[in-house]
Amino acid sequence: MGNFYLKTGEFASACGIKKATLVHYANLGLLKPSHIGENGYYYYGPEQIYDFELIHVMKSMNVPLSEIKDYMKNKNGDLPACQELLRKKLVELQEYQKQLQSIEQLVKNTLQDMDDLREQKLGVIEEIHFDKPQIYYIYEMTSRVADAEYYRKNSCREVIQHVQESFLNESANVVEVVMKADLLNGTFRKTYGGFRAKEDIRVDSENLLVRPAGTYLTLADHTGGNRIADLYRQLKEYADENGYRICGNGYGRDLLSHIVKRDRSHYPVRCFIQVEKQKEV
């Protein structure tokens, strides 16, 4: 028998794998021994090296062991079946590559946000102009800190998970939206939370909101919680005193991601309100 069979350790060595891996394959029914001795030892035939090579190659292509087992059991040597399996895997790999690219860009943008914080002017009101609209993925959330409402609103968590798991957000920093009416009435109530969407997003969704291109007044400072309203209040007062008319919503954006700054009582944020210069009469 020694001339025709290899013990588990010998066969594992010939395959360049650990003995435990071979035992695992046997337990899965993926690569069973050709013979089991009376002593319970496993023995493999030299020709089984080709079965191992099939497993090794397909595994290197990221084909799951369960699919390899099914192929070997039912369709081994079937060219169309092999093509179907590999074409399916190619589509999966291409989709995974897109995900990796999205993750890479998300990491880069979040790092860029952190670098940009050093360049921010704090406590200074400025007029800026956005040449392009910005799309946000939003969820209804009126609180600026995690309170009971946050845990009750399952729809909010569903949107957050969908955006993050689908890599639809531009960075890890979060945003808020204050509607025009709440700027004008002085409540500065937050209506939506959300994320900046990627520039190339082309998804129709009721959870999308567009910040229009145009002129904005902006102010950045270290604040937190409901004290963010103070930034909007300062912007509104500046607008009233300097001949501006509020013509759109207000937007707040964290300047430092919550993955770094978890203390929501004191963190850097920038607020914007859309305005236009009133004509002199």
Short mmCIF file of all heavy atoms in Angstrom, two decimals, residues 218-253:
data_model
loop_
_atom_site.label_atom_id
_atom_site.label_comp_id
_atom_site.label_asym_id
_atom_site.label_seq_id
_atom_site.Cartn_x
_atom_site.Cartn_y
_atom_site.Cartn_z
N THR A 218 -20.85 81.89 5.61
CA THR A 218 -20.36 80.72 6.35
C THR A 218 -19.58 81.15 7.57
O THR A 218 -18.94 82.21 7.59
CB THR A 218 -19.49 79.82 5.45
OG1 THR A 218 -19.05 78.69 6.20
CG2 THR A 218 -18.28 80.57 4.92
N LEU A 219 -19.63 80.32 8.60
CA LEU A 219 -18.94 80.57 9.85
C LEU A 219 -18.56 79.23 10.47
O LEU A 219 -19.37 78.32 10.53
CB LEU A 219 -19.85 81.34 10.82
CG LEU A 219 -19.34 81.55 12.24
CD1 LEU A 219 -18.07 82.39 12.26
CD2 LEU A 219 -20.43 82.22 13.10
N ALA A 220 -17.31 79.13 10.90
CA ALA A 220 -16.82 77.91 11.54
C ALA A 220 -16.35 78.22 12.95
O ALA A 220 -15.81 79.29 13.22
CB ALA A 220 -15.68 77.30 10.73
N ASP A 221 -16.55 77.26 13.85
CA ASP A 221 -16.06 77.44 15.21
C ASP A 221 -16.16 76.11 15.95
O ASP A 221 -16.78 75.15 15.47
CB ASP A 221 -16.87 78.50 15.95
CG ASP A 221 -15.99 79.29 16.94
OD1 ASP A 221 -14.95 78.74 17.38
OD2 ASP A 221 -16.35 80.43 17.24
N HIS A 222 -15.54 76.06 17.12
CA HIS A 222 -15.67 74.90 18.00
C HIS A 222 -16.96 75.06 18.78
O HIS A 222 -17.16 76.05 19.48
CB HIS A 222 -14.49 74.80 18.96
CG HIS A 222 -13.22 74.35 18.31
ND1 HIS A 222 -12.91 73.02 18.14
CD2 HIS A 222 -12.21 75.05 17.75
CE1 HIS A 222 -11.74 72.92 17.53
NE2 HIS A 222 -11.30 74.14 17.27
N THR A 223 -17.84 74.10 18.66
CA THR A 223 -19.12 74.18 19.36
C THR A 223 -19.58 72.76 19.61
O THR A 223 -18.79 71.82 19.61
CB THR A 223 -20.15 74.97 18.52
OG1 THR A 223 -21.36 75.06 19.25
CG2 THR A 223 -20.40 74.33 17.18
N GLY A 224 -20.87 72.59 19.81
CA GLY A 224 -21.37 71.24 20.05
C GLY A 224 -22.83 71.28 20.41
O GLY A 224 -23.35 72.30 20.88
N GLY A 225 -23.51 70.17 20.16
CA GLY A 225 -24.91 70.05 20.52
C GLY A 225 -25.74 71.19 19.97
O GLY A 225 -25.55 71.67 18.86
N ASN A 226 -26.67 71.64 20.77
CA ASN A 226 -27.58 72.70 20.33
C ASN A 226 -26.91 74.06 20.24
O ASN A 226 -27.53 75.02 19.77
CB ASN A 226 -28.79 72.76 21.26
CG ASN A 226 -29.66 71.53 21.13
OD1 ASN A 226 -29.81 71.00 20.04
ND2 ASN A 226 -30.22 71.07 22.25
N ARG A 227 -25.67 74.18 20.68
CA ARG A 227 -24.96 75.46 20.55
C ARG A 227 -24.60 75.75 19.09
O ARG A 227 -24.17 76.85 18.77
CB ARG A 227 -23.71 75.45 21.42
CG ARG A 227 -24.04 75.53 22.91
CD ARG A 227 -22.82 75.70 23.78
NE ARG A 227 -21.96 74.52 23.74
CZ ARG A 227 -20.72 74.52 23.26
NH1 ARG A 227 -20.20 75.60 22.73
NH2 ARG A 227 -20.00 73.40 23.28
N ILE A 228 -24.79 74.76 18.20
CA ILE A 228 -24.59 75.02 16.78
C ILE A 228 -25.54 76.11 16.31
O ILE A 228 -25.22 76.90 15.41
CB ILE A 228 -24.82 73.73 15.96
CG1 ILE A 228 -23.75 72.69 16.31
CG2 ILE A 228 -24.79 74.01 14.46
CD1 ILE A 228 -23.94 71.36 15.62
N ALA A 229 -26.71 76.21 16.95
CA ALA A 229 -27.68 77.25 16.59
C ALA A 229 -27.09 78.64 16.72
O ALA A 229 -27.49 79.56 16.00
CB ALA A 229 -28.94 77.11 17.45
N ASP A 230 -26.13 78.82 17.62
CA ASP A 230 -25.50 80.13 17.78
C ASP A 230 -24.77 80.56 16.50
O ASP A 230 -24.72 81.76 16.19
CB ASP A 230 -24.50 80.11 18.94
CG ASP A 230 -25.20 79.95 20.29
OD1 ASP A 230 -26.40 80.31 20.37
OD2 ASP A 230 -24.55 79.48 21.24
N LEU A 231 -24.21 79.59 15.77
CA LEU A 231 -23.53 79.94 14.52
C LEU A 231 -24.52 80.43 13.48
O LEU A 231 -24.28 81.42 12.78
CB LEU A 231 -22.76 78.74 13.99
CG LEU A 231 -21.66 78.14 14.89
CD1 LEU A 231 -20.89 77.06 14.15
CD2 LEU A 231 -20.72 79.21 15.40
N TYR A 232 -25.67 79.74 13.38
CA TYR A 232 -26.70 80.20 12.46
C TYR A 232 -27.23 81.59 12.87
O TYR A 232 -27.50 82.44 12.01
CB TYR A 232 -27.87 79.21 12.41
CG TYR A 232 -27.52 77.88 11.81
CD1 TYR A 232 -27.49 76.73 12.59
CD2 TYR A 232 -27.24 77.75 10.45
CE1 TYR A 232 -27.18 75.49 12.04
CE2 TYR A 232 -26.93 76.52 9.89
CZ TYR A 232 -26.90 75.39 10.70
OH TYR A 232 -26.60 74.17 10.15
N ARG A 233 -27.36 81.79 14.17
CA ARG A 233 -27.86 83.08 14.65
C ARG A 233 -26.91 84.20 14.26
O ARG A 233 -27.35 85.27 13.80
CB ARG A 233 -28.04 83.03 16.18
CG ARG A 233 -28.65 84.30 16.77
CD ARG A 233 -28.97 84.12 18.24
NE ARG A 233 -30.03 83.13 18.45
CZ ARG A 233 -29.82 81.91 18.91
NH1 ARG A 233 -28.60 81.49 19.21
NH2 ARG A 233 -30.83 81.07 19.05
N GLN A 234 -25.63 83.95 14.41
CA GLN A 234 -24.64 84.97 14.02
C GLN A 234 -24.68 85.24 12.52
O GLN A 234 -24.56 86.38 12.08
CB GLN A 234 -23.24 84.52 14.43
CG GLN A 234 -23.01 84.46 15.93
CD GLN A 234 -21.61 83.98 16.28
OE1 GLN A 234 -20.61 84.57 15.87
NE2 GLN A 234 -21.54 82.88 17.03
N LEU A 235 -24.87 84.19 11.75
CA LEU A 235 -24.94 84.35 10.29
C LEU A 235 -26.19 85.14 9.90
O LEU A 235 -26.13 86.01 9.01
CB LEU A 235 -24.95 82.98 9.61
CG LEU A 235 -23.63 82.20 9.65
CD1 LEU A 235 -23.83 80.78 9.14
CD2 LEU A 235 -22.56 82.90 8.83
N LYS A 236 -27.30 84.85 10.54
CA LYS A 236 -28.55 85.57 10.23
C LYS A 236 -28.41 87.04 10.60
O LYS A 236 -28.84 87.93 9.83
CB LYS A 236 -29.72 84.94 10.97
CG LYS A 236 -31.08 85.57 10.64
CD LYS A 236 -32.21 84.84 11.34
CE LYS A 236 -33.58 85.39 10.90
NZ LYS A 236 -33.76 86.80 11.28
N GLU A 237 -27.86 87.31 11.75
CA GLU A 237 -27.68 88.71 12.17
C GLU A 237 -26.75 89.44 11.20
O GLU A 237 -27.01 90.60 10.83
CB GLU A 237 -27.12 88.75 13.59
CG GLU A 237 -28.12 88.29 14.65
CD GLU A 237 -27.50 88.22 16.04
OE1 GLU A 237 -26.26 88.42 16.14
OE2 GLU A 237 -28.23 87.94 17.01
N TYR A 238 -25.71 88.78 10.77
CA TYR A 238 -24.78 89.40 9.82
C TYR A 238 -25.50 89.68 8.50
O TYR A 238 -25.31 90.75 7.89
CB TYR A 238 -23.59 88.47 9.60
CG TYR A 238 -22.53 89.03 8.67
CD1 TYR A 238 -21.46 89.75 9.18
CD2 TYR A 238 -22.60 88.84 7.30
CE1 TYR A 238 -20.48 90.28 8.34
CE2 TYR A 238 -21.64 89.37 6.45
CZ TYR A 238 -20.58 90.07 6.98
OH TYR A 238 -19.62 90.60 6.13
N ALA A 239 -26.31 88.71 8.05
CA ALA A 239 -27.05 88.89 6.80
C ALA A 239 -27.99 90.09 6.91
O ALA A 239 -28.05 90.93 6.00
CB ALA A 239 -27.83 87.62 6.47
N ASP A 240 -28.73 90.18 8.01
CA ASP A 240 -29.68 91.28 8.20
C ASP A 240 -28.98 92.63 8.23
O ASP A 240 -29.52 93.63 7.73
CB ASP A 240 -30.47 91.08 9.50
CG ASP A 240 -31.41 89.87 9.45
OD1 ASP A 240 -31.71 89.42 8.32
OD2 ASP A 240 -31.80 89.38 10.52
N GLU A 241 -27.80 92.66 8.81
CA GLU A 241 -27.09 93.92 8.99
C GLU A 241 -26.29 94.35 7.77
O GLU A 241 -25.84 95.50 7.69
CB GLU A 241 -26.15 93.82 10.20
CG GLU A 241 -26.88 93.64 11.54
CD GLU A 241 -25.94 93.28 12.66
OE1 GLU A 241 -24.71 93.17 12.40
OE2 GLU A 241 -26.42 93.09 13.80
N ASN A 242 -26.09 93.42 6.82
CA ASN A 242 -25.21 93.74 5.69
C ASN A 242 -25.90 93.59 4.33
O ASN A 242 -25.22 93.39 3.32
CB ASN A 242 -23.97 92.86 5.75
CG ASN A 242 -23.06 93.21 6.90
OD1 ASN A 242 -22.20 94.09 6.79
ND2 ASN A 242 -23.23 92.52 8.04
N GLY A 243 -27.19 93.69 4.32
CA GLY A 243 -27.91 93.75 3.05
C GLY A 243 -28.07 92.43 2.33
O GLY A 243 -28.20 92.41 1.10
N TYR A 244 -28.08 91.32 3.06
CA TYR A 244 -28.31 90.01 2.45
C TYR A 244 -29.74 89.55 2.74
O TYR A 244 -30.32 89.91 3.77
CB TYR A 244 -27.36 88.96 3.00
CG TYR A 244 -25.91 89.14 2.61
CD1 TYR A 244 -25.04 89.83 3.46
CD2 TYR A 244 -25.41 88.62 1.43
CE1 TYR A 244 -23.70 89.99 3.13
CE2 TYR A 244 -24.07 88.76 1.09
CZ TYR A 244 -23.22 89.45 1.94
OH TYR A 244 -21.90 89.61 1.61
N ARG A 245 -30.26 88.74 1.86
CA ARG A 245 -31.55 88.10 2.07
C ARG A 245 -31.36 86.59 2.08
O ARG A 245 -30.72 86.05 1.17
CB ARG A 245 -32.53 88.48 0.97
CG ARG A 245 -33.95 87.93 1.18
CD ARG A 245 -34.88 88.36 0.06
NE ARG A 245 -34.56 87.67 -1.19
CZ ARG A 245 -35.04 86.47 -1.52
NH1 ARG A 245 -35.85 85.82 -0.70
NH2 ARG A 245 -34.71 85.92 -2.68
N ILE A 246 -31.86 85.93 3.11
CA ILE A 246 -31.77 84.47 3.16
C ILE A 246 -32.72 83.89 2.12
O ILE A 246 -33.92 84.16 2.14
CB ILE A 246 -32.13 83.94 4.56
CG1 ILE A 246 -31.11 84.44 5.58
CG2 ILE A 246 -32.18 82.41 4.56
CD1 ILE A 246 -31.44 84.08 7.03
N CYS A 247 -32.18 83.10 1.19
CA CYS A 247 -32.99 82.59 0.08
C CYS A 247 -32.98 81.06 0.00
O CYS A 247 -33.49 80.48 -0.96
CB CYS A 247 -32.51 83.19 -1.24
SG CYS A 247 -30.79 82.79 -1.65
N GLY A 248 -32.36 80.41 0.96
CA GLY A 248 -32.30 78.95 0.94
C GLY A 248 -32.08 78.39 2.33
O GLY A 248 -32.18 79.10 3.33
N ASN A 249 -31.77 77.13 2.38
CA ASN A 249 -31.60 76.43 3.65
C ASN A 249 -30.25 76.72 4.28
O ASN A 249 -29.35 77.30 3.67
CB ASN A 249 -31.75 74.93 3.44
CG ASN A 249 -33.11 74.55 2.91
OD1 ASN A 249 -34.11 75.22 3.19
ND2 ASN A 249 -33.16 73.48 2.12
N GLY A 250 -30.12 76.26 5.51
CA GLY A 250 -28.83 76.28 6.20
C GLY A 250 -28.26 74.88 6.26
O GLY A 250 -29.00 73.88 6.30
N TYR A 251 -26.94 74.80 6.27
CA TYR A 251 -26.26 73.51 6.27
C TYR A 251 -25.11 73.56 7.27
O TYR A 251 -24.36 74.54 7.33
CB TYR A 251 -25.71 73.18 4.88
CG TYR A 251 -26.76 73.25 3.80
CD1 TYR A 251 -27.03 74.45 3.14
CD2 TYR A 251 -27.51 72.13 3.44
CE1 TYR A 251 -28.01 74.52 2.16
CE2 TYR A 251 -28.49 72.19 2.46
CZ TYR A 251 -28.73 73.40 1.82
OH TYR A 251 -29.70 73.48 0.86
N GLY A 252 -24.98 72.51 8.05
CA GLY A 252 -23.87 72.40 8.98
C GLY A 252 -23.03 71.19 8.64
O GLY A 252 -23.57 70.14 8.26
N ARG A 253 -21.73 71.32 8.78
CA ARG A 253 -20.84 70.20 8.43
C ARG A 253 -19.77 70.04 9.49
O ARG A 253 -19.07 71.00 9.83
CB ARG A 253 -20.20 70.45 7.07
CG ARG A 253 -19.19 69.38 6.66
CD ARG A 253 -18.86 69.48 5.19
NE ARG A 253 -18.11 70.68 4.86
CZ ARG A 253 -16.77 70.74 4.85
NH1 ARG A 253 -16.05 69.68 5.18
NH2 ARG A 253 -16.16 71.85 4.51
#
